[in-house]
Amino acid sequence: MIHQSSLLLPALPFIPLLAALYVAFSESGETSRRAAFLAGTLPTLVVTAYLMVQTRTPHEGRPVVLTAWNEVVYADLLSLMMVSLTLLLVTLVGLYSFSYIPHELGQVPARGRSLRTYYSLLLVVAAFMIMTVTINHLFFMFLVIEVATICVSLLVATFKTKFALIASFKYNLLVVMAMLFAVLGAILLFGETSAEGLSLSRLSVLEMGELALLVPAPLLLIAAACFVGAFGTKGGMMPFHTWLPDAHSEAPAPISALLSGLIITVGPFGFARTAALFVPKYSSIMISVAALACASVVIGIVVALAQDDLKRLLAYSSISQIGYIFLGIALADYLGIYGGLFHLVTHLLAKSLLFLCAGAIIYRVGLRRISDLSGLARRMPLTAVCFFVGSLSMGGLPFMAGFMSKYTIILALAQAELWWALVITALAGTLTLAALVWAAHRVFWGPESEKVAAIPVGGREIPRLMALPMVLLAVAIVAVGLVPGLLYPMLDGAARSILALMAA
Amino acid sequence: MSFSGSLLVLLLSLAALGFAMLAVETVPLLRSTYWYVAHSGCLVAVYLVYAFDTGNRFLFAWAGLAVVNAVILPFLYGGLKYTAVRIPPEARSSHLGAALLGVVALAAFIAAATFSRPQLQVSGSPLTQLGSAVSLNLLAAALLFVYGIIILLTRRHLFKLALGLLIMTAGAHLTLVQMAPDIFTMVEIEVLTKVIGTVFAMLYAVRLLAERYQTTDAGILGGPGGEGGET
């Protein structure tokens, strides 16, 4: 790999951070707050696109990675892919929130301050997500993950309802506890290498492969268990998932979209970044992770089938889908990693869309129990179409984005001859389709339920600012489903980045 | 590190464990906060002994971190004391917690008795004695960490869960100090995140719950997902 110094790279998180400061402390009106929010995300997205072009262009036939600050900041295509997804989703969630959050907050005391806090926290989350994926140091990576966790937990508690506060507390407690285990794993590695007088005190992500050769097997296995537990918890994979259904269902809908689409992907990302510790010397760890991921895929969707709360159903479905991503990466070959990353993107598009649709339903009719909802398609045709697009994609229907990513993972499983995993994932795919299409059918089709009929007809379905992100996500799902090659350059480079670290 | 310094660290670590147990088992929450301050005070002493004994200036930063734990956090707005006085005193000691506490205390006693016997012998190589003492200190740190996990697994009072996280963090800090005392960045990490950010955010939620629902018992509050409706 060619290491190229970049001044723009370390500046990336500071743009949203500056905007967050402005939003938090400025007493200006709603319009300037919104403008500041967009100024914090859109220019950063443009800079990221430029950096992606730089890394995508091979230098003398070798892939390029960008570095800064003595390689403490590091970005390959995987990092930049995550940065662009972060900024894209935060922008869409922000646009949606412009109408949704003021409406749901109502006329509470200190409403202006609540809104300022909300938007600034959203920008801070974006900044720390960017740092998470561009930092080349294990301890600092855990630091920024924890800071992002604190901000997200405050966002989960935006409405300060009883269950939102409990969910926020639980999320904070479990994820930070998990990160404590990750720190402990890193201490074990560091203690061992420093005792041998080796110069790996930086615990750089780039040197993980080298570290694996130096640390004794028992110690490495304990550290591996700590990392898998920590990233599994952050990702919401079974059996570390207990925070996820509560936080996803009790957070405001746009934050649920952010949690499910983006925040939980830090788990598989961190796992991919540290996988060089286990591969190729301890490949059995990857098989164990694949088995856990398969359990997550099946149990998540089986529990989802039993849910009556629409947001909780989507939350359990996320536990299942994160299993696919972990499974793909755990295969540790090109096709598997490509499929895992592909599913990370398609899941982000579809699950964010589904949560935004759930938010639209709450906005319009104030209900979220599936048994209370029926016949909404006539009142909310746009939301119905978007929800079906998201459901069909998540279910893996052909010509939808989710189909291609799941199909790639299944092909990778066949190539790796993991037939048991292939059968499980194929079966779980069918169950996902059943769970989501069943939910969509119950909510949008048939005659209107009593509770829905009691709500006066009239007015616009949802405000334009809420509809725009939903439509964009739905269009993206269909576009990727019809032309999956659209994402190939980005995913190919990202998959090769992980393989390069494993081979280092 | 010298043998006497190491033994002092061991005693202080075990005292920190004892105060942590008292903090968790004490029912009146305000008194529990003061036991927690005593626990953190022991940790400050541990780091100072380490710092003076080894001459490692980074360890003074660790001591500073423990001061944050001991003094600032409990009395910060939204901190332990502030929250404690607002929580109704319905917290009761959990039987499972008490049983596990007994197991940990017994393990600590057996381990201390087993490992300290050879160290207290006058004869023997000082290097061996030093090695054993350092291992024993690691064991004390591990016990603190494990005790924190036990609290998190067995308690349902949100205030005690926050205490559990702090105690678990203290165990990790002690381990880190012994295995990697030169990583100064870790001090910043811990101060910025777990000690101030996370616990502050958690106590903020606990305080709001206590003010609105007059309880912070997770069993009484119930779990999310039961009621539907977002606001």
Side-chain angles (χ1 to χ4, degrees):
Chain A
M1 282 186 290
I2 303 282
H3 288 221
Q4 208 172 75
S5 182
S6 168
L7 283 174
L8 283 173
L9 184 61
L12 279 180
F14 291 102
I15 307 171
L17 270 183
L18 285 174
L21 282 174
Y22 177 81
V23 172
F25 296 108
S26 162
E27 293 290 337
S28 52
E30 182 69 15
T31 311
S32 92
R33 194 158 43 217
R34 291 176 180 183
F37 180 87
L38 293 176
T41 55
L42 292 176
T44 324
L45 197 57
V46 173
V47 176
T48 309
Y50 170 72
L51 294 177
M52 279 181 103
V53 173
Q54 267 194 314
T55 44
R56 185 58 204 157
T57 316
H59 188 78
E60 295 168 0
R62 293 159 71 193
V64 175
V65 293
L66 303 173
T67 61
W69 293 350
N70 201 19
E71 296 205 348
V72 171
V73 182
Y74 159 89
D76 49 20
L77 257 179
L78 174 65
S79 312
L80 293 172
M81 178 185 100
M82 293 296 292
V83 172
S84 55
L85 291 174
T86 300
L87 292 165
L88 206 63
L89 193 58
V90 169
T91 308
L92 293 178
V93 160
L95 281 174
Y96 185 93
S97 302
F98 289 159
S99 295
Y100 182 85
I101 295 294
H103 178 267
E104 292 298 308
L105 271 176
Q107 293 306 317
V108 294
R111 184 170 178 263
R113 202 177 71 178
S114 297
L115 285 172
R116 279 205 305 272
T117 309
Y118 176 86
Y119 294 127
S120 54
L121 280 175
L122 210 49
L123 286 164
V124 174
V125 169
F128 278 91
M129 274 295 295
I130 294 171
M131 289 185 206
T132 302
V133 296
T134 53
I135 213 107
N136 179 27
H137 191 288
L138 267 189
F139 282 139
F140 277 116
M141 191 165 140
F142 301 146
L143 162 72
V144 288
I145 289 177
E146 281 173 16
V147 177
T149 300
I150 295 165
C151 297
V152 174
S153 77
L154 293 172
L155 284 169
V156 168
T158 299
F159 294 143
K160 297 185 178 63
T161 59
K162 179 165 79 173
F163 294 137
L165 288 169
I166 296 174
S168 161
F169 181 91
K170 198 170 171 182
Y171 172 59
N172 225 332
L173 182 75
L174 289 177
V175 175
V176 171
M177 188 173 120
M179 283 303 124
L180 206 52
F181 272 98
V183 168
L184 204 68
I187 293 170
L188 289 177
L189 296 177
F190 177 85
E192 185 60 28
T193 51
S194 63
E196 291 181 21
L198 299 166
S199 57
L200 286 171
S201 58
R202 285 177 56 224
L203 280 177
S204 133
V205 172
L206 294 173
E207 290 166 345
M208 287 287 115
E210 199 182 329
L211 201 63
L213 303 173
L214 303 171
V215 177
L219 210 59
L220 193 81
L221 290 176
I222 297 172
C226 288
F227 288 153
V228 169
F231 292 126
T233 307
K234 184 69 189 165
M237 183 172 69
M238 291 256 176
F240 315 105
H241 67 286
T242 51
W243 65 268
L244 191 147
D246 297 346
H248 281 48
S249 58
E250 298 309 320
I255 299 305
S256 305
L258 191 73
L259 271 169
S260 191
L262 185 71
I263 303 296
I264 61 172
T265 59
V266 172
F269 171 84
F271 176 63
R273 273 287 188 243
T274 51
L277 274 173
F278 327 129
V279 180
K281 204 175 170 187
Y282 304 102
S283 297
S284 56
I285 294 174
M286 301 304 255
I287 297 296
S288 312
V289 174
L292 275 179
C294 276
S296 199
V297 165
V298 174
I299 299 170
I301 199 60
V302 168
V303 180
L305 278 165
Q307 300 304 313
D308 187 34
D309 180 332
L310 185 59
K311 283 178 79 182
R312 228 172 154 74
L313 183 148
L314 296 176
Y316 276 106
S317 154
S318 291
I319 293 172
S320 175
Q321 299 306 313
I322 205 77
Y324 281 98
I325 303 172
F326 269 107
L327 183 59
I329 293 168
L331 291 177
D333 57 21
Y334 175 78
L335 199 57
I337 294 171
Y338 185 95
L341 295 178
F342 195 0
H343 199 62
L344 187 150
V345 178
T346 60
H347 174 251
L348 177 141
L349 296 174
K351 197 50 71 63
S352 308
L353 175 60
L354 288 170
F355 270 114
L356 294 185
C357 290
I361 294 169
I362 293 166
Y363 180 93
R364 189 76 174 92
V365 296
L367 301 167
R368 69 182 213 206
R369 278 188 185 283
I370 297 170
S371 53
D372 290 341
L373 294 162
S374 180
L376 273 180
R378 275 181 292 277
R379 286 174 186 240
M380 307 183 72
L382 178 73
T383 310
V385 170
C386 289
F387 197 94
F388 267 93
V389 168
S391 301
L392 296 177
S393 176
M394 273 297 60
L397 204 78
F399 306 115
M400 292 288 174
F403 169 75
M404 286 313 295
S405 57
K406 283 189 180 175
Y407 184 59
T408 313
I409 292 172
I410 286 174
L411 280 181
L413 288 170
Q415 187 180 276
E417 297 184 358
L418 287 176
W419 304 112
W420 54 273
L422 190 149
V423 171
I424 288 171
T425 47
L427 186 71
T430 317
L431 286 176
T432 308
L433 189 64
L436 291 172
V437 172
W438 170 81
H441 177 78
R442 291 274 309 271
V443 171
F444 293 104
W445 254 240
E448 286 186 351
S449 66
E450 274 181 32
K451 286 190 178 176
V452 171
I455 296 161
V457 187
R460 189 183 291 157
E461 180 183 339
I462 44 171
R464 284 197 190 95
L465 279 176
M466 280 173 68
L468 179 67
M470 286 162 53
V471 171
L472 287 176
L473 287 167
V475 168
I477 289 170
V478 176
V480 172
L482 292 174
V483 194
L486 276 176
L487 296 176
Y488 176 77
M490 182 175 77
L491 293 171
D492 173 62
R496 287 186 194 286
S497 305
I498 297 175
L499 284 172
L501 282 182
M502 286 177 179
Chain B
M1 191 177 186
S2 71
F3 180 64
S4 56
S6 195
L7 272 184
L8 191 56
V9 165
L10 173 66
L11 286 174
L12 286 168
S13 304
L14 289 175
L17 179 64
F19 284 128
M21 287 172 171
L22 281 170
V24 173
E25 293 305 319
T26 304
V27 174
L29 296 176
L30 197 55
R31 207 178 299 161
S32 172
T33 304
Y34 291 123
W35 286 127
Y36 173 77
V37 173
H39 152 82
S40 303
C42 286
L43 293 176
V44 175
V46 167
Y47 298 132
L48 286 177
V49 170
Y50 261 120
F52 283 116
D53 204 280
T54 59
N56 185 341
R57 64 190 169 88
F58 289 118
L59 290 167
F60 287 107
W62 279 104
L65 164 67
V67 170
V68 172
N69 258 333
V71 182
I72 298 173
L73 184 70
F75 303 103
L76 205 66
Y77 176 82
L80 289 179
K81 187 189 169 191
Y82 187 89
T83 309
V85 293
R86 279 159 181 77
I87 296 177
E90 84 277 15
R92 290 288 175 269
S93 188
S94 133
H95 294 302
L96 181 58
L100 285 169
L101 174 73
V103 173
V104 172
L106 190 66
F109 177 76
I110 293 171
T114 311
F115 286 96
S116 60
R117 195 175 301 152
Q119 290 177 25
L120 295 175
Q121 288 170 356
V122 182
S123 60
S125 153
L127 276 177
T128 315
Q129 287 177 359
L130 184 62
S132 308
V134 171
S135 309
L136 195 53
N137 291 341
L138 264 180
L139 184 79
L143 277 174
L144 210 54
F145 188 82
V146 170
Y147 184 57
I149 297 174
I150 289 173
I151 297 164
L152 296 182
L153 291 177
T154 58
R155 298 287 156 167
R156 55 183 216 183
H157 196 281
L158 302 184
F159 183 85
K160 295 291 171 73
L161 290 177
L163 269 185
L165 188 70
L166 281 169
I167 290 166
M168 194 179 161
T169 309
H173 288 177
L174 268 183
T175 313
L176 190 61
V177 157
Q178 289 168 67
M179 294 190 74
D182 294 335
I183 309 184
F184 181 67
T185 52
M186 282 308 297
V187 180
E188 298 163 48
I189 288 172
E190 297 301 328
V191 172
L192 279 171
T193 57
K194 277 187 218 62
V195 176
I196 292 180
T198 306
V199 179
F200 189 87
M202 283 164 71
L203 290 175
Y204 172 73
V206 174
R207 190 161 56 84
L208 280 182
L209 283 167
E211 282 170 359
R212 291 179 185 191
Y213 305 101
Q214 283 72 53
T215 181
T216 48
D217 186 323
I220 296 169
L221 283 167
E227 287 186 353
E230 192 160 43
T231 52

